[in-house]
Amino acid sequence: MSKQEVILCESLETSLGRAIERCPHDKLFILTDEHTQRLCLPSLKEVSFLKDAVEINIGAEDVHKTLETLASVWMALSQQGATRHSLLINLGGGMVTDLGGFAAATFKRGIAYINIPTTLLAMVDASVGGKTGINFNGLKNEIGAFAPADSVLIETEFLRSLDAHNFFSGYAEMLKHGLISNTAHWVELLDFDTDNIDYAALKDMVGRSVQVKEDIVEQDPFEHGIRKALNLGHTAGHAFESLALAENRPVLHGYAVAWGIVCELYLSHLKAGFPKDKMRQTIQFIKENYGSFAFDCKQYEQLYAFMQHDKKNTSGTVNFTLLKEIGDICINQTADKDTIFEMLDFYRECMGV
Ligand SMILES: NC(=O)c1ccc[n+]([C@@H]2O[C@H](COP(=O)([O-])OP(=O)(O)OC[C@H]3O[C@@H](n4cnc5c(N)ncnc54)[C@H](O)[C@@H]3O)[C@@H](O)[C@H]2O)c1
Ligand SMILES: O=C(O)C(=O)C[C@@H](O)[C@H](O)[C@H](O)COP(=O)(O)O
Ligand SMILES: [Zn+2]
């Protein structure tokens, strides 16, 4: 996989000019969702080299990360004269960068694209590393491709319009990066004043967080090994997200990951000796900021069935990424059904559901 340029921008306009120059193209397209079209696109409208860009707009949020939306993007590209030498700019959160990245990866077998992430989650995680795709058959990212953007341009000024709910959703992936990297990063995340956000400090933290992802992706772009570290919290988290979607009560991805981290830190403690005090401190932070996802023991089978679709699995066993310590990662850990049910019991007991 080609190395991707990730830039923490001082001037988005300057960085975008350079990024576009790196990608010779005949026609430019810019993909937004209904919110980023209103909130983020206007600040780019003044940029002279975007004046002829063709706009494509899709519905917002994960309920639109579907085959139908993907087909509408393919159709817009096709009807408006995109060629294999066209360039797509994805301006939005992880839904836009995942779906837009997959549209670019598949249109005429692949066109170049640039990501401009506008949510915290997309800045530290989704826009980087080349995982693109859509949800399908009730399962998260069931269809997709590894296809990195040519450039990822991070402009943290976009975060000023983000609501608290979406701020915390992205913060969960940052917490994951803290847990898989080092204690100092984990501590700064738990200590950050999320009630009165210091945007300059947040920008520095975004830089450190995305670096954790870049370093891992560079070692293992196609998730044969260590990239599974980036999936901490996701075996259980994606099961919660899919259950919520199936029951018509969708939850934000980062919230599902936070609740998944609660489960998987318990497994980490049980199977790998992760320290109880650090597990408790992390769970406390999650309880205070994310509330809890309600389910009862009658839904364990369904959650287990979702976990059986996890992409890390091989030959019928459910695969988890666990931790011995902060930054000490154990990939390819398995748990049997009884242990998974015990983990769900622990979650419900400690989260009070
Ligand atoms: N590819 C990866 O490696 C990867 C990593 C993590 C998550 N993901 C995927 O990313 C998706 C979640 O991404 P997300 O949390 O960014 O959600 P999202 O893209 O749905 O955005 C959340 C909401 O914020 C709005 N928004 C975007 N930018 C805004 C801004 N600057 N100000 C105000 N509102 C803004 C959006 O319109 C949307 O309503 C999920 O589908 C998840 O599976 C992918
Ligand atoms: O980049 C990765 O690798 C990740 O696992 C990052 C996750 O935060 C992200 O949610 C990813 O989309 C999950 O991928 P999946 O392969 O479990 O669908
Ligand atoms: Zn994630």
Side-chain angles (χ1 to χ4, degrees):
M1 188 152 75
S2 57
K3 176 129 172 56
Q4 171 174 66
E5 174 189 70
V6 180
I7 295 173
L8 196 54
C9 297
E10 290 310 325
S11 155
L12 177 58
E13 183 168 346
T14 308
S15 300
L16 184 55
R18 290 202 191 108
I20 290 177
E21 252 173 44
R22 272 166 53 107
C23 300
H25 59 278
D26 56 2
K27 201 161 183 175
L28 192 56
F29 291 80
I30 183 154
L31 179 69
T32 52
D33 72 23
E34 55 199 291
H35 302 140
T36 61
Q37 179 185 42
R38 183 168 47 83
L39 294 167
C40 307
L41 189 57
S43 67
L44 291 181
K45 276 282 174 65
E46 304 308 313
V47 178
S48 58
F49 33 81
L50 292 184
K51 70 178 183 333
D52 295 325
V54 179
E55 288 176 32
I56 305 176
N57 185 250
I58 55 177
E61 288 152 21
D62 244 55
V63 286
H64 289 106
K65 201 171 125 179
T66 59
L67 189 54
E68 291 70 30
T69 311
L70 176 66
S72 76
V73 176
W74 284 331
M75 188 61 87
L77 289 168
S78 188
Q79 288 184 336
Q80 300 195 67
T83 73
R84 196 188 234 167
H85 308 285
S86 297
L87 174 64
L88 177 67
I89 298 175
N90 296 320
L91 177 69
M95 198 284 288
V96 170
T97 58
D98 272 19
L99 187 142
F102 189 51
T106 45
F107 185 76
K108 294 192 192 287
R109 299 201 188 89
I111 63 172
Y113 77 98
I114 292 170
N115 277 341
I116 306 180
T118 60
T119 62
L120 186 59
L121 186 143
M123 289 180 195
V124 299
D125 195 348
S127 65
V128 173
K131 275 192 182 179
T132 68
I134 55 165
N135 304 329
F136 184 72
N137 188 28
L139 299 164
K140 285 290 301 176
N141 313 322
E142 182 72 341
I143 307 295
F146 286 98
D150 278 81
S151 300
V152 178
L153 309 178
I154 301 174
E155 169 53 271
T156 53
E157 283 301 303
F158 285 127
L159 296 177
R160 290 183 188 270
S161 56
L162 204 64
D163 58 86
H165 208 200
N166 276 295
F167 171 82
F168 277 108
S169 186
Y171 208 78
E173 301 281 20
M174 293 177 76
L175 197 57
K176 175 192 79 181
H177 288 165
L179 285 163
I180 62 174
S181 60
N182 62 72
T183 307
H185 190 32
W186 173 75
V187 168
E188 76 167 335
L189 285 158
L190 292 191
D191 287 351
F192 188 69
D193 185 355
T194 52
D195 291 330
N196 303 292
I197 297 172
D198 172 344
Y199 283 93
L202 180 61
K203 180 174 181 175
D204 290 343
M205 239 161 41
V206 164
R208 284 189 283 282
S209 187
V210 74
Q211 192 64 54
V212 173
K213 177 151 188 179
E214 278 186 79
D215 289 347
I216 291 176
V217 170
E218 199 174 336
Q219 293 171 59
D220 177 23
F222 298 107
E223 201 179 78
H224 297 305
I226 192 59
R227 183 167 183 166
K228 292 175 193 169
L230 296 171
N231 227 253
L232 175 72
H234 284 66
T235 308
H238 274 161
F240 292 148
E241 205 178 346
S242 292
L243 180 67
L245 211 55
E247 293 181 347
N248 249 329
R249 47 166 179 149
V251 297
L252 297 185
H253 175 73
Y255 279 64
V257 170
W259 300 321
I261 286 174
V262 171
C263 293
E264 295 179 23
L265 283 186
Y266 171 73
L267 270 192
S268 295
H269 173 65
L270 194 74
K271 288 177 153 281
F274 186 79
K276 205 173 199 167
D277 56 334
K278 290 176 180 154
M279 175 183 83
R280 289 279 171 209
Q281 265 177 280
T282 311
I283 291 177
Q284 191 52 34
F285 181 86
I286 292 171
K287 272 176 82 161
E288 278 167 15
N289 294 295
Y290 295 85
S292 57
F293 179 66
F295 58 92
D296 61 33
C297 55
K298 290 192 283 303
Q299 287 155 303
Y300 285 15
E301 287 288 350
Q302 205 180 342
L303 285 166
Y304 182 66
F306 282 126
M307 288 181 215
Q308 285 180 309
H309 286 277
D310 192 279
K311 292 172 211 71
K312 302 183 298 303
N313 296 349
T314 46
S315 41
T317 57
V318 181
N319 184 302
F320 291 89
T321 295
L322 302 179
L323 297 174
K324 259 199 203 85
E325 238 304 349
I326 290 174
D328 192 346
I329 300 148
C330 312
I331 58 167
N332 296 332
Q333 301 300 298
T334 58
D336 60 23
K337 195 173 176 180
D338 285 348
T339 312
I340 289 174
F341 281 18
E342 182 187 324
M343 171 186 90
L344 296 174
D345 282 340
F346 170 84
Y347 172 90
R348 286 177 55 227
E349 196 185 318
C350 84
M351 302 297 276
V353 294

